[in-house]
């Protein structure tokens, strides 16, 4: 039971961090040159597919609805086609967003799971598996 509670808290914490990061990135995107990765679409998707809950995390992602949303596929395609920014601050925001989007996609593709860790195994953890394409290259979550 304790492990299940920790998994729920970890998942909820990830969801809350994703929402905060996306909103900050969308605000930051207003000041930088446009890229193929649409931060406004990202923020919109999180706004539509997250909801407040009354626990420590405060936010949950509806991964099933997210996976079914055609806009999520557009977001993933944009991430795959995006060019990595050259400015350090833009690059940092880009890679934080890329990690979060790939993590959400991994969970969405493997529903139902209690935690992203459930996608992997002891010998091949989720962090060491291909998660998706970013800037034209296949990436893992441990990069």
């Amino acid at each position: 039971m304790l492990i299940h509670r920790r998994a729920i808290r970890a998942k909820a914490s990830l969801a809350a961090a994703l929402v905060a990061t996306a909103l900050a990135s969308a605000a930051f995107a207003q000041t930088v040159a446009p890229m193929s990765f649409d931060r406004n679409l990202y923020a919109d998707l999180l706004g539509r597919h997250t909801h407040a809950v009354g626990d420590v995390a405060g936010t949950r992602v509806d991964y099933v609805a997210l996976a079914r949303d055609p806009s999520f596929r557009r977001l993933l395609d944009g991430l795959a086609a995006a060019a990595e920014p050259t400015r350090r601050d833009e690059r940092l925001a880009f890679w934080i967003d890329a990690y979060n989007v790939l993590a959400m996609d991994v969970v969405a593709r493997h529903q139902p799971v209690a935690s992203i860790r459930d996608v992997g195994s002891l010998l091949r953890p989720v962090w060491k598996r291909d998660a998706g394409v970013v800037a034209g290259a296949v990436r893992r979550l441990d990069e």
Side-chain angles (χ1 to χ4, degrees):
M1 188 67 164
L2 180 61
I3 293 172
H4 179 68
R5 285 185 188 154
R6 285 183 182 163
I8 290 172
R9 283 188 188 133
K11 189 174 178 183
S13 295
L14 173 63
L18 292 171
V19 171
T21 302
L23 294 175
S25 294
F28 178 75
Q30 301 299 324
T31 64
V32 297
M35 296 183 294
S36 297
F37 178 67
D38 187 344
R39 286 188 175 94
N40 291 323
L41 175 60
Y42 180 34
D44 178 60
L45 282 164
L46 287 176
R48 287 188 285 128
H49 298 296
T50 59
H51 59 276
V53 293
D55 64 14
V56 175
T59 307
R60 291 275 186 276
V61 176
D62 182 348
Y63 291 104
V64 173
L66 183 67
R68 290 180 182 151
D69 191 326
S71 296
F72 189 56
R73 181 76 254 159
R74 282 198 332 263
L75 183 70
L76 291 167
D77 291 344
L79 185 60
E84 182 178 356
T86 55
R87 282 187 26 201
R88 185 181 185 280
D89 57 344
E90 294 173 9
R91 198 169 51 249
L92 179 60
F94 174 80
W95 284 109
I96 290 169
D97 287 342
Y99 177 90
N100 290 334
V101 170
L102 291 180
M104 289 181 356
D105 187 43
V106 166
V107 173
R109 284 186 281 125
H110 291 89
Q111 284 298 301
V113 291
S115 167
I116 191 171
R117 290 182 197 101
D118 295 341
V119 174
S121 66
L122 181 63
L123 298 178
R124 194 163 169 246
V126 66
W127 325 113
K128 301 284 186 190
R129 296 171 181 234
D130 291 348
V133 179
V134 178
V138 176
R139 302 292 182 171
R140 297 184 323 233
L141 293 176
D142 71 346
E143 294 183 56

